Amino acid sequence: MDIVKLTLTKVPELYLEAENITPDHFAGKTAQQIGELHVHLGNTTAKISDYFTVEGKGGATAADTKIIISGPTDKVKYIGMKMTAGEIEVQGNTDMYTAAWMAGGKIHVKGNVDSFCAIGMTGGEFIVDGNAKNYLAASYRGDWRGMQGGKVIVKGNAGSDTATFMNGGTIDIGGNVDVHLGTHAEGGKIIVRGNAKGRVGGQMVKGDIFVLGQVERMMPTYILKGEEEVELDGKKQMFHVWIGDMGERHGKRKGEIIYGKIYVPSGKAEAAAPAARAERKKKLTDKQLEQVKEAFKGQEPTVQQVRTYIYDTFDIDMKPMQVSRLIDGLKR
Amino acid sequence: MSEYIIKNGKVYDPKTGLKGDVADVCIKDGKIADKVSNKAKVIDAKGKTVMAGAVEVHAHVAGPKVNEGRNYRPEDKLFTYKPTGKNTRMSGGFSIPTTFKTGYEYARMGYTTVMEAAMPPLYARHVHEEIKDTPIIDEGAFPVFGNNWFVFEYLKNNEMDNVCAYISWLLKTTKGYAIKIVNPGGSEAWGWGENCTTVNDPVPYFDITPAEIVKGLLTANEKMGLPHSIHIHSNNLGNPGNYTTTLDTLKIAEGVKPNNKFGREQVLHHTHVQFHSYKGDSWANFESGAKEIADYFNKNKNMTMDLGCVTLDETTTMTADGPFEHHLTSLNHLKWANVDVELETSSGIVPYVYDPNIKVCAIQWAIGLELGLLAKDPMRTFITTDHPNAGPFTRYPRIMKWLMSDKSRQAMLKGFKNSDKVIAATNLASIDRELTLYEIAQMTRAGPAKSLGLYDTFGGLAPGMDADVVVYDLNEDKIKDAEEIEKAFSAADYVFKSGTLVVENGEVINNGNKRTLWVDAKVPMNEQVERDVQMKFLKFYSMNLNNYEVSNHYVPNPYVIEVDSN
């Protein structure tokens, strides 16, 4: 396998759109030819060599080509877009649309990635050592064909709207996910090893979601079906199985209706729903109340100001209505 | 204005009867001329095809539902954008292209006149704003009348004078071109969650049947002598076994004689017939009814049709047939938009993927082509895709290829996953007719122009007609591979629009001088209709009457066709 080493020499002023950085485009090219490929910067077009030093050469085919990217790549978008084979390794962070519409091969990002990564993925492997932001492995805006195959592994956390319109493949998230996991899913398998914030599997027709931590609040359109022994990571475990989304259409197979399924390990499922309610009851202590009163002395603070202050100072996420009452109380 | 002479081309022109004869075409002052001075710019068309600019009779290219399609399908635009060029603006989209792309792509294919097929009168201003923003091509729009409360009430009371006065008023108010009827009665019934699937299903509340609506509007159209006939999308679109409904609708026009001063010979135009020619009683035994429909058309010479060919692409269906779109979204489970247009019509949008691996889609593809091949009179059969419903208009060259080459059709038929089933359910495999370029010129130029009552101006190359001329790099005698046909028709060598060279070597070089066609029927407004209009606006419309009219500044370059209705 031939290796191409790209090193970003300067941080681009705007975001660099580098859809040409794929083994498919690099295959059969020399370092100089690779340097000639274009990148976009706003409404201007530049060359790869304007921003990167290029060493090595592409292999005979995409499958024989490995690209190693180093340097401050936080503002580089579209790395590995539509790639079909070969390998990309990124030493740092990348921006949006990394591995978008990926069809094959492997991309390994050692840092964090931004939003819209691996959208519309159909095959291959996408590994992120850090965190991913929103719309990981989702569908393109408006499209009903999200992730259809391949594997996405994120070792850290993922943002909201992960796996929207998922149709196939596997997503494995080591940490927590934000709201709207697997919305509209119609197949595929999602494993979240931490907690899921809420609205898990909304409008899901088919597919499996494993949440090994807690689901902060289960959707009201899901029904707890019972306990089941399911194999995960090569060992059998007991899970509480929730089926839904009951508000959606569901197909039939062999006379049996197919539902989307959410698996929560036994022992945690019972805690799932009440946990959220418990959090809602969070109150400030008298001491904290005094502190808030002191901070806004002689002012007419808005609800949002007070809420932000409470969140920043005490790490308590209060409902706006609660905050509003609290302000009224303070005035009296 | 500059002069041009197009020399030594093989000219196909039904108007002058040239069937590939080598002839010169002269252009002077925006018109076709007998001769030009020696200063004229010479274009050598030796071994090339010369035709008049093509006329599109039915496409959804402007207006609220097209724009809603653009809004709610960002994925349709993905990877399609072309940046600003020397003479062109940024454009993109596939099944629902931007207005600019619509203009450019039609022009590149040699189309110079296009009819927007369904204009909801309430949103006529939006339609005209988009028409104004579509460069190069001349356009007109058909307001929809088939579910209109005024029409229902006047027809129910047998007040034909009031129907005519209302139609005339609405054409003038909305700057419309012809009477469009979409799912007569059915779109109104959709407001009650129902539909009219036969011509005898009464509309709730109004208690009028589709047959009465069609008959009434047809009578009014001929009484007024409008340039185009009624333009109908009949009931029960897209359902297996619907060909009987189609025949029932067509029978309403049987024997009626046309009355007009525009040379139009038909009294009814049935649009996208492919969607209305289905046999069988479920999707399992779904089959082609093209033969029955084509036979009927061949026998009845006072009707025209357009095909509505399925092109096997991913596209966006949009129609004023609200109940049909609801039916479609329950079949394919994709996103659905639906609108009730107050007293006038309804509307719906659903994306659709015509997958060649699905039996039904492949049969639909075959039905469209069968109709084109079984219809004996190309002057009454026009090529369309009901853009974007059965496929985008940019696929017309591909349809021409299929119609002109039996080999390319058979290759498609054999390539389908369910090949045997598709062949069994259709007649296409046994039809070996190959259309000639002359017949293509009839189906895309002369025929549509004549049916629209525009054959004195458009669709031909006789001196005095508008100089819409196209040169394609195609020699009918030397076609080795059917792909040449598609390639040549996709990007013309030269396109003249009203004497201005707008396309050269497949690239847009000039944005032309687009016009908006509308019909001024000149039926005097009577007091009752005037009062009814005011009453309805006061009582029911969400809009003020003063904001309803498409005032002149929406139509900066009008081409008004005046009808002397008396």
Side-chain angles (χ1 to χ4, degrees), chain A residues 130-327:
Chain A
N131 303 324
K133 280 200 184 160
N134 306 336
Y135 292 96
L136 173 75
S139 64
Y140 182 71
R141 280 286 157 92
D143 209 333
W144 57 90
R145 290 154 293 202
M147 182 171 177
Q148 293 166 65
K151 197 165 185 188
V152 173
I153 300 169
V154 174
K155 299 200 175 140
N157 304 324
S160 69
D161 300 273
T162 299
T164 303
F165 278 108
M166 185 176 191
N167 287 337
T170 312
I171 301 176
D172 190 335
I173 292 158
N176 307 324
V177 292
D178 207 332
V179 292
H180 294 296
L181 175 69
T183 308
H184 278 293
E186 201 168 346
K189 183 176 175 185
I190 304 170
I191 304 160
V192 178
R193 296 180 193 275
N195 301 325
K197 186 111 201 246
R199 278 158 271 176
V200 176
Q203 296 188 286
M204 179 159 79
V205 177
K206 205 172 111 185
D208 296 322
I209 300 178
F210 291 85
V211 181
L212 305 188
Q214 281 187 2
V215 176
E216 192 178 287
R217 192 183 309 164
M218 197 62 82
M219 297 254 308
T221 46
Y222 274 79
I223 293 170
L224 182 58
K225 198 183 159 210
E227 260 185 308
E228 206 178 298
E229 198 179 40
V230 182
E231 196 180 305
L232 184 73
D233 300 331
K235 57 174 187 238
K236 296 214 165 175
Q237 300 176 40
M238 288 303 285
F239 285 98
H240 279 276
V241 185
W242 297 71
I243 56 169
D245 179 324
M246 291 301 168
E248 282 296 303
R249 70 186 160 91
H250 291 282
K252 270 189 182 176
R253 194 187 294 144
K254 289 175 187 162
E256 213 176 303
I257 301 173
I258 310 290
Y259 291 102
K261 286 181 178 170
I262 300 174
Y263 298 86
V264 185
S266 296
K268 290 194 177 170
E270 295 91 324
R277 259 178 237 126
E279 197 181 6
R280 244 193 310 174
K281 281 184 195 154
K282 265 184 188 163
K283 271 185 176 173
L284 299 182
T285 60
D286 289 349
K287 203 177 158 197
Q288 286 169 329
L289 263 174
E290 279 306 311
Q291 202 179 329
V292 176
K293 209 170 171 181
E294 198 61 34
F296 292 101
K297 205 173 182 181
Q299 297 176 38
E300 288 264 335
T302 63
V303 171
Q304 194 55 40
Q305 279 171 334
V306 177
R307 193 170 167 224
T308 314
Y309 177 83
I310 294 171
Y311 186 80
D312 291 345
T313 337
F314 314 123
D315 198 21
I316 294 173
D317 187 4
M318 286 179 93
K319 299 249 173 280
M321 185 53 92
Q322 279 181 291
V323 180
S324 166
R325 284 192 196 123
L326 192 137
I327 295 172

Side-chain angles (χ1 to χ4, degrees), chain B residues 397-408:
Chain B
R398 194 166 284 180
I399 294 166
M400 293 174 196
K401 173 185 81 180
W402 286 325
L403 289 172
M404 288 179 70
S405 159
D406 186 38
K407 208 174 131 192
S408 70

Side-chain angles (χ1 to χ4, degrees), chain A residues 101 140-142 144-145 249, chain B residues 74-75 78-79 314 333 335:
Chain A
W101 299 282
Y140 182 71
R141 280 286 157 92
W144 57 90
R145 290 154 293 202
R249 70 186 160 91
Chain B
E75 76 279 11
L78 188 62
F79 304 127
E314 177 186 322
H333 309 303
K335 50 192 171 181

Side-chain angles (χ1 to χ4, degrees), chain B residues 146 152 155-156 184-186 196 198-204 206-216 235 252:
Chain B
F152 285 176
L155 284 179
K156 192 73 202 163
C196 298
T198 76
V199 293
N200 297 317
D201 287 1
V203 183
F206 292 98
D207 199 27
I208 188 169
T209 65
E212 288 167 337
I213 299 165
V214 174
K215 179 78 191 162
N235 305 87
I252 296 168

Side-chain angles (χ1 to χ4, degrees), chain B residues 6 8-26 32 49-52 436-442 445-446 455 459-463 476:
Chain B
I6 300 160
N8 299 323
K10 289 164 73 71
V11 182
Y12 297 85
D13 180 34
K15 183 85 179 180
T16 50
L18 295 171
K19 297 187 174 182
D21 312 54
V22 174
D24 296 348
V25 176
C26 302
I32 307 283
T49 297
V50 179
M51 289 185 186
T436 61
L437 276 180
Y438 183 75
E439 285 167 322
I440 295 290
Q442 287 177 307
R445 273 88 177 157
Y455 203 24
L461 296 172
E476 194 175 22

